[in-house]
Amino acid sequence: MPTLILVRHGRSTANTEGLLAGWTPGVALDERGAAQAAALPGRLAALPLSEIVASPLQRCQETIRPLLDARPGLKAHTDERIGECHYGDWSGRKLAELKDEPLMEVVQAHPSAAAFPGGESMRAMQTRAAEAVREWNARVERDHGADAVYLMCSHGDIIKSLVAEALGLHLDLFQRISVEPCSVTAIRYTRLRPFLVRLGDTGDFASLAPHEEPPGDQAPVGGGAGAP
């Protein structure tokens, strides 16, 4: 079965403004995010990508654009099932405000029970994304062979949920996983089991250095802004 390269979109204007973007329209890459996207073709140059699948949201479409420009023959597809979690009434709100919402404790400690007001549950988010991966695995293997490599450009919570699913982790543990903007995660699927071969690789270790303000014990909903 194929190897899936999961790329989180580059840093967005919502990331730097501390907003939970969700499906809010018009959320673009910021200057750093655009630079991260521009570096992606070089980082992935050794990979014979057979297909690209992306979330329909602007920040993901902008992230894959340099890669498509560098490989004009590469087919690109859009799949809403790997779009961001539908945060409903939380969309567009400041993360600093949301931390005091009672639901945030559930999102952090028991996400399988979390459903966003006016939006979807985190279980539904994981289910649709995992179904998309299974269908694309079959399609890519059919069209390009069992050793094919393909790429999905998606969002922090989606990628974390797919990693948890691949590792056989309960969704309640997915907040222990971290994927920064424009990080690369790779899952090699086989008949018996998936293998997680890369997780959140940015090629930059700056985010591991001590911060003026410690990051704390809360997992950033939506994925966070990455290294300062």
Side-chain angles (χ1 to χ4, degrees), residues 12 15 23 31 37 50 90 92 108 115 122-123 140 150 158 163 165 177 183-184 186 196 201 216 222:
S12 72
N15 293 146
W23 285 69
E31 185 176 351
S50 59
W90 279 26
Q108 292 291 323
M122 302 198 93
R123 283 182 300 164
V140 168
Y150 75 107
I158 294 287
V163 169
E165 200 262 350
I177 300 166
S183 62
V184 173
L196 179 66
D201 188 346

Side-chain angles (χ1 to χ4, degrees), residues 112-146:
S112 66
F116 296 97
E120 71 178 332
S121 69
M122 302 198 93
R123 283 182 300 164
M125 172 200 74
Q126 183 186 44
T127 297
R128 62 172 164 86
E131 287 177 350
V133 168
R134 282 191 285 272
E135 289 183 20
W136 278 103
N137 280 350
R139 177 172 172 175
V140 168
E141 181 173 5
R142 181 197 69 204
D143 294 344
H144 302 282

Side-chain angles (χ1 to χ4, degrees), residues 182-206:
C182 227
S183 62
V184 173
T185 293
I187 302 172
R188 180 166 59 85
Y189 289 88
T190 74
R191 184 173 61 86
L192 295 181
R193 65 183 61 84
F195 291 89
L196 179 66
V197 292
R198 292 288 189 278
L199 176 61
D201 188 346
T202 63
D204 180 0
F205 298 103

Side-chain angles (χ1 to χ4, degrees), residues 23 30-32 34 56 62 67 69 77-78 90 94 103 117 125 129 132 140 175 182 187-188 196 206 208 217 226:
W23 285 69
D30 68 4
E31 185 176 351
R32 178 171 182 168
E62 290 180 353
L67 191 55
D69 289 343
H77 313 270
T78 297
W90 279 26
K94 287 275 190 183
L103 178 59
M125 172 200 74
V140 168
Q175 297 291 28
C182 227
I187 302 172
R188 180 166 59 85
L196 179 66
L208 302 180
D217 59 3

Side-chain angles (χ1 to χ4, degrees), residues 38-197:
L40 200 55
R43 292 171 61 199
L44 301 179
L47 294 180
L49 297 176
S50 59
E51 308 266 358
I52 289 183
V53 187
S55 157
L57 295 173
Q58 181 178 339
R59 51 198 183 274
C60 286
Q61 295 292 322
E62 290 180 353
T63 298
I64 64 169
R65 178 48 53 193
L67 191 55
L68 293 173
D69 289 343
R71 304 191 191 195
L74 192 57
K75 290 183 180 178
H77 313 270
T78 297
D79 194 326
E80 291 196 356
R81 294 174 297 176
I82 61 167
E84 181 63 284
C85 184
H86 290 275
Y87 296 116
D89 297 344
W90 279 26
S91 299
R93 292 182 59 187
K94 287 275 190 183
L95 288 165
E97 299 171 358
L98 292 170
K99 68 180 178 64
D100 295 324
E101 293 277 355
L103 178 59
M104 182 60 85
E105 186 176 2
V106 182
V107 170
Q108 292 291 323
H110 192 21
S112 66
F116 296 97
E120 71 178 332
S121 69
M122 302 198 93
R123 283 182 300 164
M125 172 200 74
Q126 183 186 44
T127 297
R128 62 172 164 86
E131 287 177 350
V133 168
R134 282 191 285 272
E135 289 183 20
W136 278 103
N137 280 350
R139 177 172 172 175
V140 168
E141 181 173 5
R142 181 197 69 204
D143 294 344
H144 302 282
D147 295 328
V149 180
Y150 75 107
L151 182 147
M152 281 186 169
C153 183
S154 188
H155 307 265
D157 282 348
I158 294 287
I159 293 172
K160 288 164 56 177
S161 75
L162 289 171
V163 169
E165 200 262 350
L167 292 175
L169 294 177
H170 196 284
L171 184 60
D172 286 347
L173 301 179
F174 100 127
Q175 297 291 28
R176 302 183 183 197
I177 300 166
S178 176
V179 289
E180 292 195 4
C182 227
S183 62
V184 173
T185 293
I187 302 172
R188 180 166 59 85
Y189 289 88
T190 74
R191 184 173 61 86
L192 295 181
R193 65 183 61 84
F195 291 89
L196 179 66
V197 292

